[in-house]
Amino acid sequence: MPEKTMLYNISPVGEFIMSFVIVTTRDNVIVIDGGRPEDMPRLREYIGGRHISAWILSHAHSDHISGFVSEMKRNGGADFDIGTIYYNFPPYSLIDNHDVPDYEYFCRELNEALPSFNEVLPIFRDKTHITLQGETLDIDEVHIEFLYSYHSGLFANLMNDSSLVFKLTTPNKTVLFLGDLGPDGGDLLFQESRHKLKSDIVQMAHHGHMNCGMEVYEAISPEVCLWCAPDWLYAEPEIPQYLEDREKLRSMGRIRMYGVALTRRWMERLGARQHYVTCNGTTMLEL
Protein backbone atom coordinates (compact mmCIF):
# COMPACT_ATOMS: atom_id res chain seq x y z
CA MET A 1 0.00 0.00 0.00
CA PRO A 2 1.22 3.57 -0.67
CA GLU A 3 2.74 5.40 2.30
CA LYS A 4 1.26 8.71 1.13
CA THR A 5 -1.84 9.81 -0.70
CA MET A 6 -1.04 9.89 -4.42
CA LEU A 7 -2.62 12.11 -7.06
CA TYR A 8 -2.37 11.41 -10.79
CA ASN A 9 -3.42 14.04 -13.34
CA ILE A 10 -3.67 11.80 -16.38
CA SER A 11 -2.62 13.01 -19.82
CA PRO A 12 -5.07 12.41 -22.67
CA VAL A 13 -4.75 9.87 -25.45
CA GLY A 14 -6.27 12.26 -27.99
CA GLU A 15 -7.97 15.59 -27.36
CA PHE A 16 -7.79 17.46 -24.08
CA ILE A 17 -9.65 15.96 -21.13
CA MET A 18 -9.89 16.15 -17.35
CA SER A 19 -8.97 12.90 -15.62
CA PHE A 20 -7.68 12.46 -12.07
CA VAL A 21 -7.04 9.41 -9.93
CA ILE A 22 -6.31 9.74 -6.21
CA VAL A 23 -5.03 6.66 -4.38
CA THR A 24 -5.35 6.62 -0.59
CA THR A 25 -2.94 5.04 1.87
CA ARG A 26 -5.41 2.17 2.26
CA ASP A 27 -5.30 1.59 -1.51
CA ASN A 28 -8.76 2.91 -2.27
CA VAL A 29 -9.36 5.23 -5.23
CA ILE A 30 -11.16 8.47 -5.98
CA VAL A 31 -11.74 9.12 -9.69
CA ILE A 32 -12.56 12.56 -11.05
CA ASP A 33 -14.22 12.58 -14.49
CA GLY A 34 -11.95 10.31 -16.60
CA GLY A 35 -12.06 11.74 -20.10
CA ARG A 36 -13.27 10.27 -23.37
CA PRO A 37 -13.77 6.63 -24.48
CA GLU A 38 -10.24 6.38 -25.89
CA ASP A 39 -8.88 7.40 -22.47
CA MET A 40 -10.48 4.52 -20.58
CA PRO A 41 -7.65 1.98 -21.03
CA ARG A 42 -5.17 4.46 -19.55
CA LEU A 43 -7.57 5.26 -16.71
CA ARG A 44 -7.86 1.54 -15.91
CA GLU A 45 -4.07 1.31 -15.70
CA TYR A 46 -3.90 3.97 -13.00
CA ILE A 47 -6.84 2.54 -11.09
CA GLY A 48 -5.15 -0.84 -11.21
CA GLY A 49 -8.16 -2.90 -10.15
CA ARG A 50 -8.54 -1.01 -6.86
CA HIS A 51 -11.90 -0.24 -5.31
CA ILE A 52 -13.26 3.12 -6.46
CA SER A 53 -14.77 4.57 -3.29
CA ALA A 54 -15.94 7.69 -5.12
CA TRP A 55 -16.26 8.53 -8.80
CA ILE A 56 -16.92 12.27 -9.05
CA LEU A 57 -18.36 13.57 -12.32
CA SER A 58 -17.82 17.32 -12.37
CA HIS A 59 -20.25 18.25 -15.16
CA ALA A 60 -21.89 16.95 -18.33
CA HIS A 61 -19.38 17.73 -21.08
CA SER A 62 -17.99 15.00 -23.31
CA ASP A 63 -14.32 15.63 -22.51
CA HIS A 64 -15.15 14.90 -18.87
CA ILE A 65 -17.76 12.12 -18.81
CA SER A 66 -18.11 10.48 -22.25
CA GLY A 67 -15.57 7.82 -21.25
CA PHE A 68 -17.59 6.94 -18.17
CA VAL A 69 -20.76 6.78 -20.27
CA SER A 70 -19.07 4.57 -22.87
CA GLU A 71 -18.03 2.07 -20.19
CA MET A 72 -21.58 1.90 -18.88
CA LYS A 73 -22.89 1.31 -22.39
CA ARG A 74 -20.24 -1.29 -23.15
CA ASN A 75 -20.61 -3.58 -20.15
CA GLY A 76 -22.29 -1.67 -17.34
CA GLY A 77 -18.95 -0.57 -15.93
CA ALA A 78 -17.94 -4.15 -15.14
CA ASP A 79 -14.24 -3.30 -15.47
CA PHE A 80 -14.47 -0.97 -12.48
CA ASP A 81 -15.29 -1.72 -8.82
CA ILE A 82 -17.37 1.38 -8.13
CA GLY A 83 -18.78 2.36 -4.76
CA THR A 84 -20.63 5.67 -5.21
CA ILE A 85 -20.94 8.05 -8.17
CA TYR A 86 -21.25 11.72 -7.22
CA TYR A 87 -22.72 14.32 -9.59
CA ASN A 88 -25.26 17.11 -9.94
CA PHE A 89 -26.21 17.93 -13.53
CA PRO A 90 -28.83 20.41 -14.79
CA PRO A 91 -32.14 18.77 -15.68
CA TYR A 92 -32.66 18.11 -19.37
CA SER A 93 -36.15 19.62 -19.07
CA LEU A 94 -34.44 23.02 -19.26
CA ILE A 95 -34.49 22.50 -23.03
CA ASP A 96 -38.03 23.95 -22.95
CA ASN A 97 -36.79 27.26 -21.50
CA HIS A 98 -36.53 29.70 -24.38
CA ASP A 99 -35.88 32.69 -22.11
CA VAL A 100 -32.08 32.39 -22.30
CA PRO A 101 -29.43 34.65 -23.92
CA ASP A 102 -28.71 32.26 -26.82
CA TYR A 103 -31.14 29.37 -27.19
CA GLU A 104 -29.19 27.61 -29.97
CA TYR A 105 -26.05 27.48 -27.82
CA PHE A 106 -28.12 26.52 -24.77
CA CYS A 107 -29.52 23.50 -26.65
CA ARG A 108 -26.06 22.43 -27.81
CA GLU A 109 -24.90 22.47 -24.19
CA LEU A 110 -27.81 20.32 -23.01
CA ASN A 111 -27.43 17.89 -25.91
CA GLU A 112 -23.66 17.39 -25.85
CA ALA A 113 -23.40 14.68 -23.18
CA LEU A 114 -26.45 14.83 -20.91
CA PRO A 115 -28.83 12.68 -23.04
CA SER A 116 -26.28 9.85 -23.33
CA PHE A 117 -25.68 10.02 -19.57
CA ASN A 118 -29.41 9.91 -18.86
CA GLU A 119 -29.74 6.96 -21.24
CA VAL A 120 -27.36 4.80 -19.21
CA LEU A 121 -28.35 6.17 -15.79
CA PRO A 122 -30.69 3.24 -14.97
CA ILE A 123 -27.66 0.92 -15.10
CA PHE A 124 -25.99 2.54 -12.08
CA ARG A 125 -28.73 4.63 -10.47
CA ASP A 126 -28.50 2.69 -7.20
CA LYS A 127 -24.87 3.84 -6.85
CA THR A 128 -25.49 7.54 -7.42
CA HIS A 129 -25.58 10.47 -5.06
CA ILE A 130 -26.83 13.89 -6.20
CA THR A 131 -24.23 16.10 -4.57
CA LEU A 132 -25.16 19.37 -2.90
CA GLN A 133 -23.05 22.33 -1.88
CA GLY A 134 -21.90 21.97 1.72
CA GLU A 135 -21.78 18.18 1.78
CA THR A 136 -18.64 16.41 2.96
CA LEU A 137 -17.13 13.01 2.28
CA ASP A 138 -14.37 11.05 4.06
CA ILE A 139 -12.44 8.30 2.30
CA ASP A 140 -9.63 6.97 4.48
CA GLU A 141 -7.32 9.94 5.20
CA VAL A 142 -8.93 12.09 2.48
CA HIS A 143 -11.58 14.63 3.43
CA ILE A 144 -13.66 16.20 0.65
CA GLU A 145 -15.90 19.24 1.01
CA PHE A 146 -18.16 20.30 -1.86
CA LEU A 147 -18.03 24.09 -2.04
CA TYR A 148 -20.24 24.60 -5.09
CA SER A 149 -22.78 22.61 -7.06
CA TYR A 150 -25.34 23.30 -9.76
CA HIS A 151 -27.10 26.66 -9.32
CA SER A 152 -30.29 27.18 -11.31
CA GLY A 153 -30.53 30.32 -13.42
CA LEU A 154 -26.98 30.43 -14.83
CA PHE A 155 -27.87 30.00 -18.50
CA ALA A 156 -25.16 31.79 -20.51
CA ASN A 157 -22.51 29.14 -19.71
CA LEU A 158 -24.82 26.39 -18.52
CA MET A 159 -22.71 23.25 -18.23
CA ASN A 160 -19.43 24.81 -17.20
CA ASP A 161 -21.16 26.82 -14.49
CA SER A 162 -22.79 23.64 -13.17
CA SER A 163 -19.36 22.16 -12.31
CA LEU A 164 -18.91 20.62 -8.90
CA VAL A 165 -16.20 22.48 -6.99
CA PHE A 166 -14.64 20.61 -4.10
CA LYS A 167 -11.68 20.79 -1.77
CA LEU A 168 -9.67 17.68 -1.03
CA THR A 169 -7.74 17.69 2.27
CA THR A 170 -5.12 15.16 3.37
CA PRO A 171 -2.93 15.34 6.50
CA ASN A 172 -0.31 17.21 4.42
CA LYS A 173 -1.94 19.01 1.47
CA THR A 174 -5.09 20.66 0.17
CA VAL A 175 -6.25 20.50 -3.45
CA LEU A 176 -9.08 22.54 -4.94
CA PHE A 177 -10.85 21.17 -8.01
CA LEU A 178 -12.68 23.83 -10.04
CA GLY A 179 -13.97 21.68 -12.90
CA ASP A 180 -14.83 23.94 -15.84
CA LEU A 181 -16.25 26.78 -13.77
CA GLY A 182 -16.72 30.01 -15.72
CA PRO A 183 -16.89 33.69 -14.71
CA ASP A 184 -20.49 33.69 -13.42
CA GLY A 185 -20.11 30.47 -11.47
CA GLY A 186 -16.81 31.78 -10.16
CA ASP A 187 -18.58 34.89 -8.86
CA LEU A 188 -21.00 32.73 -6.87
CA LEU A 189 -18.22 30.51 -5.58
CA PHE A 190 -16.35 33.59 -4.38
CA GLN A 191 -19.46 35.11 -2.78
CA GLU A 192 -20.47 31.95 -0.96
CA SER A 193 -17.21 30.14 -0.14
CA ARG A 194 -14.29 32.56 -0.42
CA HIS A 195 -13.20 31.79 3.17
CA LYS A 196 -12.75 28.11 2.29
CA LEU A 197 -10.85 28.44 -0.98
CA LYS A 198 -7.23 28.67 0.23
CA SER A 199 -5.43 25.57 -1.06
CA ASP A 200 -1.91 24.36 -1.77
CA ILE A 201 -2.81 23.03 -5.22
CA VAL A 202 -5.48 24.08 -7.71
CA GLN A 203 -6.88 22.44 -10.80
CA MET A 204 -7.19 25.34 -13.21
CA ALA A 205 -10.81 25.94 -14.18
CA HIS A 206 -11.90 25.12 -17.74
CA HIS A 207 -8.41 24.09 -18.83
CA GLY A 208 -7.20 27.59 -17.94
CA HIS A 209 -9.30 29.70 -20.31
CA MET A 210 -12.75 31.36 -20.22
CA ASN A 211 -12.74 30.56 -16.51
CA CYS A 212 -13.39 32.16 -13.12
CA GLY A 213 -11.81 35.49 -12.21
CA MET A 214 -8.53 36.43 -10.59
CA GLU A 215 -10.23 37.12 -7.25
CA VAL A 216 -11.02 33.39 -7.01
CA TYR A 217 -7.41 32.41 -7.66
CA GLU A 218 -6.21 35.09 -5.23
CA ALA A 219 -8.38 33.54 -2.52
CA ILE A 220 -6.94 30.11 -3.38
CA SER A 221 -3.36 31.46 -3.47
CA PRO A 222 -1.90 28.15 -4.65
CA GLU A 223 1.71 27.06 -4.81
CA VAL A 224 0.97 24.50 -7.54
CA CYS A 225 -1.28 24.74 -10.61
CA LEU A 226 -2.59 21.72 -12.51
CA TRP A 227 -3.45 22.49 -16.15
CA CYS A 228 -5.51 19.98 -18.13
CA ALA A 229 -4.41 21.45 -21.44
CA PRO A 230 -2.70 20.52 -24.72
CA ASP A 231 0.28 22.59 -25.79
CA TRP A 232 -1.73 24.75 -28.22
CA LEU A 233 -4.19 25.69 -25.49
CA TYR A 234 -1.52 26.37 -22.87
CA ALA A 235 0.06 28.76 -25.39
CA GLU A 236 -3.27 30.42 -26.24
CA PRO A 237 -3.28 34.25 -26.50
CA GLU A 238 -5.47 36.47 -24.36
CA ILE A 239 -8.02 36.87 -27.16
CA PRO A 240 -7.83 33.95 -29.59
CA GLN A 241 -9.70 34.09 -32.89
CA TYR A 242 -12.85 32.41 -31.58
CA LEU A 243 -13.19 35.11 -28.91
CA GLU A 244 -12.60 38.11 -31.18
CA ASP A 245 -16.30 38.83 -31.81
CA ARG A 246 -16.93 40.54 -28.49
CA GLU A 247 -20.34 41.82 -29.59
CA LYS A 248 -21.51 38.26 -30.23
CA LEU A 249 -20.21 37.15 -26.85
CA ARG A 250 -22.11 39.96 -25.16
CA SER A 251 -25.30 38.93 -26.96
CA MET A 252 -24.79 35.42 -25.55
CA GLY A 253 -24.29 36.77 -22.02
CA ARG A 254 -20.68 35.53 -22.11
CA ILE A 255 -18.87 38.78 -21.35
CA ARG A 256 -15.71 37.92 -19.39
CA MET A 257 -14.23 35.34 -21.72
CA TYR A 258 -10.46 35.35 -22.35
CA GLY A 259 -7.71 32.97 -23.37
CA VAL A 260 -5.07 31.20 -21.28
CA ALA A 261 -2.48 34.01 -21.55
CA LEU A 262 -4.51 36.14 -19.16
CA THR A 263 -4.88 33.34 -16.61
CA ARG A 264 -1.16 32.59 -16.77
CA ARG A 265 -0.39 36.24 -16.00
CA TRP A 266 -2.70 36.10 -13.00
CA MET A 267 -0.90 33.07 -11.60
CA GLU A 268 2.49 34.67 -12.17
CA ARG A 269 1.40 37.73 -10.20
CA LEU A 270 0.01 35.52 -7.43
CA GLY A 271 3.34 33.73 -7.10
CA ALA A 272 2.36 30.19 -8.05
CA ARG A 273 5.71 28.43 -8.25
CA GLN A 274 4.96 25.17 -10.08
CA HIS A 275 2.86 24.43 -13.14
CA TYR A 276 2.08 20.93 -14.35
CA VAL A 277 0.48 20.68 -17.80
CA THR A 278 -0.97 17.45 -19.19
CA CYS A 279 0.60 18.06 -22.61
CA ASN A 280 3.88 17.19 -20.90
CA GLY A 281 2.56 13.85 -19.65
CA THR A 282 0.80 12.52 -16.59
CA THR A 283 1.58 14.35 -13.35
CA MET A 284 2.16 12.35 -10.14
CA LEU A 285 2.09 14.21 -6.82
CA GLU A 286 2.38 13.07 -3.22
CA LEU A 287 -0.29 14.71 -1.10
Side-chain angles (χ1 to χ4, degrees):
M1 292 190 184
E3 294 182 0
K4 293 187 178 181
T5 316
M6 301 301 300
L7 177 148
Y8 301 91
N9 184 11
I10 302 173
S11 62
V13 172
E15 294 184 274
F16 59 87
I17 61 167
M18 177 167 150
S19 179
F20 287 88
V21 169
I22 295 101
V23 182
T24 74
T25 56
R26 295 187 180 180
D27 222 28
N28 290 305
V29 163
I30 301 160
V31 176
I32 302 168
D33 289 347
R36 306 176 196 269
E38 60 268 28
D39 298 297
M40 292 298 98
R42 183 170 293 177
L43 180 67
R44 284 194 290 272
E45 290 178 13
Y46 282 93
I47 293 171
R50 299 177 181 92
H51 173 66
I52 302 171
S53 298
W55 195 319
I56 302 172
L57 302 174
S58 67
H59 66 291
H61 270 158
S62 58
D63 55 318
H64 293 255
I65 70 164
S66 63
F68 173 87
V69 170
S70 71
E71 290 297 307
M72 292 300 165
K73 284 184 177 180
R74 187 171 67 87
N75 62 6
D79 291 346
F80 299 100
D81 176 19
I82 303 173
T84 305
I85 299 157
Y86 297 84
Y87 75 100
N88 190 342
F89 298 160
Y92 187 75
S93 59
L94 288 174
I95 199 81
D96 296 325
N97 182 3
H98 291 261
D99 187 22
V100 296
D102 187 312
Y103 185 66
E104 182 180 350
Y105 177 82
F106 187 71
C107 290
R108 289 203 305 271
E109 287 286 279
L110 282 166
N111 283 315
E112 180 180 326
L114 191 55
S116 58
F117 177 84
N118 288 338
E119 180 184 343
V120 298
L121 180 57
I123 297 171
F124 55 88
R125 190 186 300 273
D126 61 340
K127 295 184 176 184
T128 63
H129 178 77
I130 306 300
T131 308
L132 301 177
Q133 181 173 319
E135 291 187 336
T136 61
L137 173 65
D138 289 287
I139 300 170
D140 302 333
E141 76 282 4
V142 177
H143 177 76
I144 298 173
E145 182 175 6
F146 291 92
L147 305 181
Y148 178 95
S149 62
Y150 167 62
H151 285 57
S152 62
L154 296 184
F155 297 139
N157 195 15
L158 176 65
M159 284 304 172
N160 288 342
D161 280 337
S162 72
S163 294
L164 287 174
V165 173
F166 50 97
K167 186 174 182 177
L168 185 151
T169 302
T170 75
N172 301 304
K173 295 289 183 182
T174 52
V175 187
L176 189 69
F177 292 91
L178 292 170
D180 272 6
L181 203 66
D184 293 342
D187 286 353
L188 288 176
L189 174 68
F190 186 74
Q191 291 167 19
E192 298 168 353
S193 300
R194 73 178 77 179
H195 59 294
K196 295 183 177 182
L197 296 180
K198 177 68 184 82
S199 301
D200 301 311
I201 304 167
V202 65
Q203 170 257 315
M204 303 301 292
H206 195 222
H207 316 276
H209 69 153
M210 303 164 64
N211 66 140
C212 50
M214 185 177 178
E215 70 278 3
V216 173
Y217 290 112
E218 184 178 33
I220 301 167
S221 189
E223 295 181 3
V224 177
C225 300
L226 302 176
W227 301 78
C228 302
D231 52 2
W232 63 264
L233 182 55
Y234 192 60
E236 183 182 58
E238 180 175 318
I239 302 183
Q241 185 175 4
Y242 65 91
L243 293 178
E244 286 180 350
D245 191 342
R246 308 306 290 182
E247 184 176 345
K248 179 181 179 181
L249 288 172
R250 286 194 297 272
S251 71
M252 298 171 68
R254 296 160 62 86
I255 297 172
R256 291 167 293 154
M257 297 289 181
Y258 297 94
V260 170
L262 180 61
T263 310
R264 290 178 66 174
R265 288 204 301 274
W266 291 344
M267 305 320 294
E268 181 180 354
R269 292 171 185 170
L270 292 173
R273 59 182 181 83
Q274 288 183 301
H275 298 268
Y276 296 100
V277 190
T278 52
C279 63
N280 297 323
T282 295
T283 299
M284 179 181 70
L285 295 178
E286 293 183 351
L287 300 182

